[in-house]
Amino acid sequence: MSVFLQDLVMKRESKSYTDSVYAILTAANLFQGPKYLLSGLTGMAFKFSVHQQLLPMSVSAYGQWGNEHKPAIDNLGILTIFDAGRVRHHTFPYYQQEAVNAVKSSLDCGIGVVYWIPEFGVIHGYDDGDRVFYIQDGCSEESQIVLYDNFGLNFTTFWYYQVFGDKVDIARQDMILESLRLAILDWETPFRTLPNTDIASGKLAYVYLCQGLKQGSFNTHGAVYILDSYMTARTEIRDYLGDAQGIWTELDEAYQLYGLLAAMIPRMNDCIRAHRGERQVDLSRVDELIELLTQAELLEDQAISHFRHISARYPDLKRTTIPRWGSHTPR
Amino acid sequence: MSHMHRIHWFDQQVRAGTYPNSSHMAEHFEISRRQAQRDLEYMEVSLHAPLLYVAKYRGYCYEDTTYVLPHLYMTEEEKKVLKYLAHRYRQYNYENRESANRIASLLDRFTDPDVREMNHRIPTFDMNPRIIQLIEKLSFAIQESRIMIIMYKDHEREQQLRICPLKLISQYYGDELIATSEHDQEYISFRVDGILYAHVTTERFTREAEQEVKPWNGQVMTRKPFIAKVGFISPLEGDSWHGYRILAQDELVYDIAFYDTDSFLMHLLIAKWNELIAPQWLKHKLQVKCQETLNRLHVVEEDHE
């Protein structure tokens, strides 16, 4: 038995998770619209995390994935099931077997699967004869091949996959409201991967980014990757809020603020130059870049306070009702 | 040990996630790139560092981040032992002399360059012959799937047991035998130095297929290789096809193991073979690669016309 989803094409433009989900959901007809809409509704565009040394892993280290991705997909009204863990756990071979079966059944239904390669990619086919999965990373047109036996094995020592199911319709306004609340939460939580405090999130991520650039001993590739991802996300937020115009006046004001922020992006981009075929932060323009980022932080802070005003007008059952198991997921 | 500080530096860079490569090392220590490459080769081959080249970042990372560089502190006595071994290997002047000499220079790397003389007493090794004999017996029983009767002493008592031996593993304190009892399939581990007496019976036990592949004791699962079924016109010699391990053979069809698809595809383009039977995806990739090349050749020919 083999399945190969031809229509599923992943393209790296946004965060790898957003790109993966977008490719899967649009191919399965579970989502219609541009990528920035998905990025905004899931709250993924608002996720911003930076490691002290500006390591490239910052971009996907925006929290415990289960806790971040579940509310994101929930807000779209789509059923999602995921599993993840560490390969060193004794029971990993059994989880691996279960995961392989789950991925295959999802592909049998014609729906791709999010998989940690790393970074996130899409499983878009399998072949029982060769016992392999076909995986797209969004960068190369060629599929990567992973043996069933090697599912989940990678240099990061953790594994992750996520499958999707049916969909219910949620009112557009409710989805937007929830996405703003996700954005507020991300902005206000300084550390999302506690007990580690070397990766900051939201408002504090700006501080880490500026400090890292100022110190000078940062990871050159990581710095560019973080900035690129940051600039893409801000453009996405602006476009997303632009589409949501006319519901709340505060949201229109927030859109104006993100518009100003997005207008600064070309100047930020100018602070990155090509050096021996590789883009690097221009060290002679670091001060200028920090200045721009400081202004951007202020604009974003004001926009988030507008979000808070909108959020305060409606009851927030998700965050005010404490479930039986407390405020954490029962894992 | 002069190059060890370079290896330590490289290890630190990899851990810091800066994706270092041989040019970085060459630049940092003002050595030739070739020398830096040799150091990396040494790290990978001799120190078993799971170095993975990430083309995207043009540098290395660790495939398994739990890897640690082996301790390279040595006592004076150990240095003498190595010096002695290096000496013996260098003196070796018979068949395969070149290989022996290479080992000598490898061992030399671990010892102080200033200790040149070999006038010390020849060192002796403290290895209990009983343990050597026991390990030999256990290995034989594991290989032949024979039931064993052992007298085992632990901190509580001495007892006689009938066991089905499965595997020997090395722990930091010594060797351990993994076995099951004759009637149930639960794993039991025995310290080899606690086995007072062992007898290999003539009875055999049946080993379940699962028992062989199951990882034991929280060992990290290792990545399995892809397997290509390749047909040849004449039989291959030895246990590898130009470095690619042969796992099984059915007349002229061989199961060949490989990890890296790109280098295996390259190999398929230059080596001689008759038929690529499986896997399908590899056939497809090879076909696409060849077609691309043909298209390019075609374009070039047209240009000439």
Side-chain angles (χ1 to χ4, degrees):
Chain A
M1 175 92 183
S2 70
V3 168
F4 194 87
L5 305 177
Q6 294 283 1
D7 300 337
L8 205 160
V9 180
M10 177 186 170
K11 200 172 167 205
R12 273 313 298 274
E13 288 161 338
S14 181
K15 290 189 179 71
S16 61
Y17 180 76
T18 312
D19 291 330
S20 309
V21 173
Y22 186 74
I24 293 166
L25 298 187
T26 47
N29 224 5
L30 287 166
F31 182 84
Q32 290 84 30
K35 198 176 274 182
Y36 65 76
L37 183 61
L38 180 89
S39 199
L41 287 175
T42 54
M44 288 303 297
F46 297 97
K47 295 196 188 303
F48 176 37
S49 49
V50 177
H51 187 275
Q52 275 169 338
Q53 291 167 332
L54 314 190
L55 299 181
M57 55 86 116
S58 309
V59 175
S60 46
Y62 42 74
Q64 308 296 342
W65 292 331
N67 297 340
E68 305 299 322
H69 295 160
K70 181 82 171 46
I73 305 301
D74 277 350
N75 196 34
L76 300 172
I78 295 172
L79 170 75
T80 184
I81 297 169
F82 66 91
D83 205 354
R86 301 212 172 238
V87 291
R88 65 176 152 77
H89 292 162
H90 292 201
T91 44
F92 171 67
Y94 299 111
Y95 280 95
Q96 185 191 45
Q97 190 51 53
E98 288 300 312
V100 166
N101 293 341
V103 170
K104 278 165 60 180
S105 14
S106 172
L107 292 166
D108 286 338
C109 302
I111 305 176
V113 179
V114 173
Y115 175 72
W116 176 248
I117 296 177
E119 297 175 291
F120 289 103
V122 172
I123 303 183
H124 67 116
Y126 73 88
D127 186 340
D128 273 341
D130 294 338
R131 293 179 53 79
V132 292
F133 286 119
Y134 298 100
I135 297 171
Q136 291 185 19
D137 62 2
C139 301
S140 156
E141 278 180 22
E142 236 178 304
S143 298
Q144 292 184 23
I145 310 291
V146 170
L147 286 172
Y148 292 172
D149 291 332
N150 291 343
F151 183 95
L153 299 180
N154 60 66
F155 74 85
T156 62
T157 74
F158 39 81
W159 57 278
Y160 180 99
Y161 81 94
Q162 185 170 16
V163 296
F164 302 92
D166 286 340
K167 185 186 174 184
V168 289
D169 286 326
I170 299 179
R172 178 166 169 263
Q173 187 171 327
D174 292 346
M175 285 201 276
I176 295 172
L177 179 63
E178 176 61 19
S179 75
L180 300 183
R181 284 170 172 163
L182 288 172
I184 298 168
L185 187 71
D186 272 314
W187 184 252
E188 289 175 346
T189 316
F191 303 112
R192 299 199 70 102
T193 46
L194 284 170
N196 290 356
T197 51
D198 46 358
I199 303 168
S201 166
K203 190 171 160 64
L204 191 67
Y206 271 103
V207 179
Y208 271 39
L209 179 55
C210 293
Q211 272 174 3
L213 288 169
K214 214 178 281 177
Q215 279 165 9
S217 61
F218 54 82
N219 182 301
T220 45
H221 166 72
V224 175
Y225 187 34
I226 291 169
L227 284 167
D228 278 344
S229 166
Y230 163 83
M231 293 187 287
T232 311
R234 302 310 113 170
T235 318
E236 283 178 339
I237 297 172
R238 182 203 54 195
D239 296 344
Y240 170 61
L241 298 182
D243 276 10
Q245 288 271 287
I247 308 175
W248 301 288
T249 49
E250 291 95 333
L251 196 67
D252 300 349
E253 285 166 33
Y255 167 63
Q256 301 295 335
L257 291 165
Y258 271 106
L260 292 173
L261 200 165
M264 287 157 54
I265 286 175
R267 285 166 61 201
M268 290 182 190
N269 225 343
D270 286 345
C271 298
I272 300 172
R273 68 186 170 98
H275 178 68
R276 290 184 194 166
E278 195 186 359
R279 290 169 69 239
Q280 286 183 4
V281 172
D282 188 345
L283 293 178
S284 63
R285 299 179 72 171
V286 164
D287 290 340
E288 188 185 340
L289 183 59
I290 292 173
E291 177 56 35
L292 286 167
L293 286 168
T294 315
Q295 287 175 30
E297 184 191 342
L298 279 173
L299 289 170
E300 202 158 358
D301 204 25
Q302 288 169 30
I304 299 287
S305 59
H306 286 304
F307 291 173
R308 276 195 210 101
H309 286 128
I310 301 169
S311 172
R313 265 193 261 153
Y314 301 90
D316 185 356
L317 296 179
K318 271 191 186 153
R319 288 166 193 85
T320 49
T321 314
I322 295 182
R324 278 203 307 274
W325 51 80
S327 55
H328 292 282
T329 46
R331 285 177 68 87
Chain B
M1 295 246 276
S2 56
H3 72 316
M4 284 319 297
H5 69 285
R6 294 200 293 270
I7 286 177
H8 273 295
W9 175 86
F10 198 83
D11 175 68
Q12 275 169 2
Q13 295 297 309
V14 171
R15 279 178 204 289
T18 62
Y19 296 97
N21 58 30
S22 56
S23 313
H24 296 160
M25 190 196 261
E27 220 169 272
H28 191 86
F29 291 101
E30 296 182 338
I31 53 171
S32 72
R33 183 137 179 235
R34 183 76 208 100
Q35 177 66 43
Q37 268 163 353
R38 269 202 293 274
D39 284 349
L40 291 195
E41 226 167 79
Y42 176 73
M43 250 182 113
E44 204 167 1
V45 178
S46 300
L47 302 181
H48 300 295
L51 285 174
L52 181 76
Y53 185 76
V54 185
K56 195 168 160 192
Y57 306 132
R58 295 182 189 174
Y60 289 87
C61 67
Y62 281 145
E63 202 165 0
D64 176 3
T65 46
T66 57
Y67 171 79
V68 280
L69 279 178
H71 286 297
L72 294 158
Y73 300 104
M74 267 183 277
T75 61
E76 282 310 305
E77 196 61 32
E78 284 166 330
K79 278 183 193 166
K80 275 184 217 160
V81 171
L82 283 175
K83 195 76 213 161
Y84 166 72
L85 287 174
H87 170 76
R88 287 300 298 268
Y89 272 108
R90 195 168 295 104
Q91 299 300 313
Y92 187 85
N93 198 10
Y94 309 102
E95 243 179 273
N96 299 328
R97 178 163 175 259
E98 274 178 24
S99 314
N101 279 344
R102 262 212 304 282
I103 295 170
S105 56
L106 186 73
L107 292 170
D108 252 350
R109 288 195 192 191
F110 283 96
T111 53
D112 288 337
D114 44 352
V115 187
R116 300 301 312 175
E117 293 303 312
M118 266 307 301
N119 299 330
H120 309 290
R121 187 173 54 86
I122 291 171
T124 51
F125 299 94
D126 177 26
M127 185 68 183
N128 190 334
R130 193 180 67 83
I131 300 279
I132 298 176
Q133 184 59 56
L134 192 55
I135 297 250
E136 211 158 274
K137 264 189 189 172
L138 294 173
S139 310
F140 170 77
I142 290 167
Q143 204 178 347
E144 298 289 320
S145 303
R146 299 273 190 93
I147 292 176
M148 293 186 85
I149 297 169
I150 59 165
M151 181 68 88
Y152 185 66
K153 184 186 174 193
D154 59 13
H155 53 279
E156 281 174 352
R157 58 192 166 147
E158 271 181 40
Q159 51 183 330
Q160 190 172 325
L161 299 159
R162 272 172 74 90
I163 55 161
C164 309
L166 297 172
K167 197 174 179 181
L168 278 167
I169 56 171
S170 275
Q171 298 285 21
Y172 65 94
Y173 49 78
D175 294 308
E176 241 182 41
L177 170 72
I178 307 299
T180 59
S181 75
E182 204 184 356
H183 304 293
D184 74 46
Q185 293 297 315
E186 223 174 283
Y187 294 113
I188 319 164
S189 62
F190 301 96
R191 285 179 66 135
V192 169
D193 57 3
I195 300 175
L196 301 175
Y197 162 81
H199 172 67
V200 182
T201 66
T202 49
E203 297 164 62
R204 284 167 191 266
F205 63 92
T206 48
R207 185 185 287 240
E208 285 181 18
E210 246 190 15
Q211 284 179 336
E212 280 165 19
V213 292
K214 228 173 204 173
W216 174 258
N217 239 354
Q219 286 169 1
V220 176
M221 270 180 81
T222 45
R223 209 175 284 209
K224 292 200 176 136
F226 293 115
I227 295 163
K229 241 181 208 326
V230 187
F232 294 88
I233 294 171
S234 53
L236 297 175
E237 278 174 26
D239 56 1
S240 82
W241 181 34
H242 301 291
Y244 289 99
R245 200 150 46 93
I246 295 169
L247 296 180
Q249 179 190 0
D250 181 12
E251 292 184 355
L252 287 173
V253 176
Y254 291 76
D255 284 359
I256 315 269
F258 66 98
Y259 285 91
D260 182 49
T261 309
D262 285 339
S263 38
F264 193 68
L265 280 171
M266 286 278 284
H267 180 67
L268 287 173
L269 288 173
I270 46 173
K272 277 191 180 147
W273 47 274
N274 192 35
E275 192 187 3
L276 180 57
I277 300 158
Q280 283 303 317
W281 61 266
L282 187 69
K283 284 166 81 169
H284 178 73
K285 271 190 197 268
L286 185 62
Q287 223 161 9
V288 170
K289 270 221 152 46
C290 292
Q291 193 56 53
E292 278 172 4
T293 314
L294 280 173
N295 291 347
R296 274 201 298 273
L297 281 170
H298 197 58
V299 171
V300 173
E301 275 169 17
E302 275 177 0
D303 285 350
H304 279 293
E305 283 165 18

